[in-house]
Amino acid sequence: MNPGTRAPRWAAIIPWLFVLLWSSGFIGSKLGVPYAEPFTFLTLRYVIVLVVLVPIALLTRAPWPQGRGQIAHLILAGLLIHALYLSGCVYALRLGLPAGIVSLIVSLQPLLTAALAGMMLGEKVMPRQWCGLALGFIGTVLVVAHKTGSGLTFISTVPALLALIGITAGTLWQKRFCPAFDLRTSTVVQYAASLVITAILSLVTETREVQWTGQFVFALLWVALVLSIGAISLLNHLIRSGTAVNVASLFYTVPAVTALMAWGIFGETLTGLSLVGMVIAVIGVWLARGK
């Protein structure tokens, strides 16, 4: 095999590998949150990530971010993506907002990203991409329609909206102000900042009691190692190498992949309407990512 052909093939796999790993995070959280309160769960998750990444960064002599400006931009992007987004999702669920509604609100991210990409990044969104974004959202609505349920209140919706703002602003900010950085050390900086926030929230709002069951340990290690290190590294790579709209459009497929995982693992209902929505969402992403 010609070595020169390997990179494009791997590059084509990376977006879908990211979707698979990112989607598994919702399954891991569902397995782990019953045994620990949300902010405590996130705090433990970030501690494990730092215990793994700090020695790797030091042993490999990875370059650390230079200058207050670069560090500040990385910290802000990290707080938006890790602290605000994840905290908003888990707290909305804690307040009783159905998981389907949370997914639906967060799925507005690609459309919001497209609306802001021109102003913040100078990216032009083509008509084909707008069509793909609209189809992707319609597909997502169909996927989660049977999971919306009741429990929709203004108070429970606010954290989900904050999560939407966090993941959208975080990816745009990182794309705009952090065009190049070492994944090892910069990730350490971002998670360290997020750890401070979630630790404070757990101290102020939670009992910090944990039931150390086998299922909880598995879930905690999964979201820490597979999601917070694996999926986030792929996300950072995608942000640096692609347009903001292309990256954001991938999130349309997350509810579909999560639904398939939940069906296989938990036996959750998978309706015909959900299957139709999955197909529409994939077509939408294909259009949005097209040249």
Side-chain angles (χ1 to χ4, degrees):
M1 182 182 295
N2 186 351
T5 64
R6 293 177 183 174
R9 292 181 181 179
W10 278 110
I13 294 173
I14 286 176
W16 305 110
L17 179 59
F18 161 73
V19 169
L20 181 64
L21 297 184
W22 190 270
S23 301
S24 74
F26 291 93
I27 303 300
S29 296
K30 182 171 181 176
L31 289 172
V33 167
Y35 303 100
E37 293 163 294
F39 296 130
T40 299
F41 185 65
L42 290 176
T43 298
L44 292 172
R45 172 177 170 174
Y46 296 157
V47 167
I48 292 174
V49 172
L50 292 174
V51 167
V52 173
L53 286 183
V54 169
I56 291 176
L58 294 176
L59 290 174
T60 58
R61 297 182 179 180
W64 291 87
Q66 299 296 317
R68 294 181 180 178
Q70 184 181 19
I71 294 174
H73 287 311
L74 283 169
I75 288 176
L76 180 57
L79 290 177
L80 291 168
I81 295 173
H82 306 306
L84 184 56
Y85 169 67
L86 290 176
S87 296
C89 287
V90 297
Y91 205 75
L93 294 172
R94 183 183 181 187
L95 292 176
L97 192 67
I101 295 292
V102 176
S103 298
L104 193 57
I105 292 174
V106 176
S107 292
L108 289 169
Q109 183 215 351
L111 289 172
L112 187 57
T113 298
L116 297 175
M119 179 177 61
M120 289 191 63
L121 305 175
E123 294 181 4
K124 184 178 180 180
V125 184
M126 306 299 294
R128 168 175 169 159
Q129 291 179 295
W130 278 116
C131 181
L133 292 172
L135 277 178
F137 182 69
I138 292 171
T140 300
V141 171
L142 297 179
V143 169
V144 304
H146 70 288
K147 296 184 177 182
T148 53
S150 58
L152 180 62
T153 65
F154 174 76
I155 296 299
S156 64
T157 304
V158 169
L161 291 173
L162 291 175
L164 168 63
I165 294 171
I167 190 66
T168 304
T171 53
L172 287 171
W173 195 272
Q174 187 157 301
K175 178 68 177 178
R176 173 67 177 84
F177 295 105
C178 311
F181 55 84
D182 186 273
L183 290 176
R184 295 158 293 181
T185 52
S186 296
T187 303
V188 167
V189 171
Q190 292 187 330
Y191 275 119
S194 299
L195 173 60
V196 172
I197 301 300
T198 57
I200 292 174
L201 289 172
S202 69
L203 286 170
V204 173
T205 66
E206 299 178 344
T207 65
R208 299 172 303 285
E209 294 181 0
V210 178
Q211 300 178 46
W212 293 95
T213 66
Q215 179 173 307
F216 174 76
V217 173
F218 171 80
L220 182 61
L221 291 176
W222 182 270
V223 297
L225 302 179
V226 176
L227 186 69
S228 292
I229 295 179
I232 290 297
S233 296
L234 294 177
L235 176 61
N236 287 335
H237 169 78
L238 291 169
I239 291 173
R240 289 197 300 183
S241 60
T243 67
V245 174
N246 280 351
V247 175
S249 66
L250 291 172
F251 284 89
Y252 275 146
T253 59
V254 170
V257 176
T258 302
L260 287 172
M261 289 181 175
W263 170 72
I265 297 173
F266 302 117
E268 292 188 3
T269 302
L270 192 61
T271 66
L273 193 62
S274 296
L275 295 175
V276 172
M278 292 176 189
V279 175
I280 293 175
V282 170
I283 293 174
V285 171
W286 175 72
L287 286 173
R289 291 180 59 81
K291 300 295 184 182

